[in-house]
Amino acid sequence: MRRPRLLPALVAVAGAALLAGCGTGGELRSAGRVPAAVGPVRLWPTLPPASAAPYDYGEGETARIPGIRVPGGDVRQLDPVAVVRAGLKALPDRSSGVDELPDRTVEQINACRDAPRSCPVLPPYFRDLTGDGKDEMVLAIRLAGRQLSVRVYMPDAGALIRIMSTSDAVISVELAGRDLIMRAPSAITGYEYRTAWSWDDRQRAMLPTQDEILRIGQDRGHPPSPRPSARRTPRPTVSVPAERR
């Protein structure tokens, strides 16, 4: 008379075994003990904070280009050589020296009409980098020592504003979404700098929102970095993404 009572128990045990077997394929398992998270600790807290940057990186500097009008806000209609030549007379909102060009380069720019083959102004590219629905003009000027001066111009109420200007020994320049990315050689073999410039609404300028040094290799599909030029732009001592405002 007790045999029927064993059936529910056997069914329960079999069901538990089946459930246990089904759960082993995707259930979470412990990877063991992990180190506890440690928050940031301020070193040398008694040191007074710096009141000025160690050098001027050129970030946030803008300038209205004199004599250039942008009807309808269409920068594609502009002559890039005329833009660069007019920019030589522009008064920046603050002087960093980053936008200055060597005398020889200025001579070549002024002679672009008569000697187009030696003109250092490269063909422009266009992309909406500010998110206002209008394209900006991205220009580059070849400099000595295989360096490149890269500038970005924004239409503004019929006028033209330079919202970025930097010079560096450049491996490549890329547009990715609304970012302008510059790759530059590092003095460390097998590494390169990668700087992403992004539009900042508060400064009304393109800022280097991320500046990092990356390991490279043939497996990443990048060619070896050339030797850096002695005139390359100095970089921040700490590679930390800037806060996006």
Side-chain angles (χ1 to χ4, degrees), residues 21-42:
C22 293
T24 57
E27 67 182 7
L28 297 176
R29 293 185 178 183
S30 174
R33 295 179 60 85
V34 296
V38 179
V41 177
R42 183 178 179 182

Side-chain angles (χ1 to χ4, degrees), residues 195-228:
T195 305
W197 292 76
S198 309
W199 170 252
D200 185 275
D201 286 324
R202 175 184 291 183
Q203 295 297 320
R204 302 290 296 172
M206 299 282 288
L207 299 183
T209 53
Q210 189 173 23
D211 194 0
E212 55 189 347
I213 185 169
L214 299 175
R215 184 176 180 179
I216 61 174
Q218 297 298 334
D219 57 334
R220 288 184 53 190
H222 293 325
S225 298
R227 298 286 299 178

Side-chain angles (χ1 to χ4, degrees), residues 146 148 150 168-174 180-186 191-197 211-212 214 216-217 220-226 232 235:
R146 299 180 63 182
L148 204 66
V150 179
D168 212 337
V170 173
I171 298 174
S172 69
V173 182
E174 304 169 359
L180 187 147
I181 301 173
M182 297 177 60
R183 292 171 49 216
S186 167
Y191 291 80
E192 69 181 24
Y193 286 107
R194 181 182 182 276
T195 305
W197 292 76
D211 194 0
E212 55 189 347
L214 299 175
I216 61 174
R220 288 184 53 190
H222 293 325
S225 298
R232 72 181 313 276
R235 296 189 172 274

Side-chain angles (χ1 to χ4, degrees), residues 124-129 135-139 150-152 164 172-182 194 197 206:
Y125 288 87
F126 304 93
R127 176 72 64 89
D128 180 9
L129 298 176
D135 285 341
E136 276 65 54
M137 173 188 284
V138 182
L139 279 178
V150 179
R151 289 106 183 277
V152 177
M164 172 189 164
S172 69
V173 182
E174 304 169 359
L175 289 173
R178 288 169 54 189
D179 290 340
L180 187 147
I181 301 173
M182 297 177 60
R194 181 182 182 276
W197 292 76
M206 299 282 288

Side-chain angles (χ1 to χ4, degrees), residues 80-93:
V81 174
V83 169
V84 174
R85 291 186 63 182
L88 298 175
K89 303 176 183 179
L91 298 177
D93 54 356

